[in-house]
Amino acid sequence: MVRYRYSPEALAAAAAQARSVTEVMRLLGVRISGGSHAHISRQLKRFGIDTSHFTRSAHNKGQPSARRTTSSQLLVRLPVGSRRTPGTRLNWALRDIGAPEECEECRVGPDLARPPADPARRPRER
């Protein structure tokens, strides 16, 4: 007879209280890792334990991270000698506050900033 580390009863009780496989793992005191997650998932299936009430989505899906840097935190003048903020993050922050995506001097947008290449000036193929 095969012995399982967690009895079907213990798994069923934990699954009844939980909303996800990770929560089942926490209730059982299992270390949260990919291999353990796969093992517990297989055991739940093997014993036919009901998991239809699991949410199957990230706990914060559709919500911005609490640690996310806001646009107002990015758009500040940094002290001399600081590392520069990457341009992609600055562009995101400007779009976030609704700044127009165009040059203030020439009013050219990002898609028109570089003129199309002149086919007559291309280097000849050898």
Side-chain angles (χ1 to χ4, degrees), residues 59-74:
H59 66 282
N60 63 345
K61 186 175 182 181
Q63 300 173 358
S65 170
R67 298 182 310 156
R68 182 176 184 162
T69 306
T70 63
S71 53
S72 61
Q73 291 171 323
L74 283 174

Side-chain angles (χ1 to χ4, degrees), residues 42-124:
R42 283 192 304 268
Q43 295 301 318
L44 292 169
K45 288 176 189 170
R46 175 179 287 144
F47 295 131
I49 297 171
D50 179 37
T51 59
S52 62
H53 61 283
F54 286 5
T55 58
R56 289 180 174 79
S57 64
H59 66 282
N60 63 345
K61 186 175 182 181
Q63 300 173 358
S65 170
R67 298 182 310 156
R68 182 176 184 162
T69 306
T70 63
S71 53
S72 61
Q73 291 171 323
L74 283 174
L75 298 173
V76 294
R77 186 174 297 272
L78 297 174
V80 176
S82 298
R83 293 181 65 171
R84 63 181 288 280
T85 304
T88 54
R89 297 187 76 199
L90 292 173
N91 288 337
W92 167 83
L94 289 170
R95 277 193 310 275
D96 189 49
I97 65 168
E101 292 190 43
E102 60 185 18
C103 175
E104 286 185 2
E105 293 178 14
C106 59
R107 300 286 183 218
V108 175
D111 53 339
L112 302 174
R114 198 175 299 148
D118 182 11
R121 295 190 46 117
R122 288 188 181 152
R124 293 184 204 164

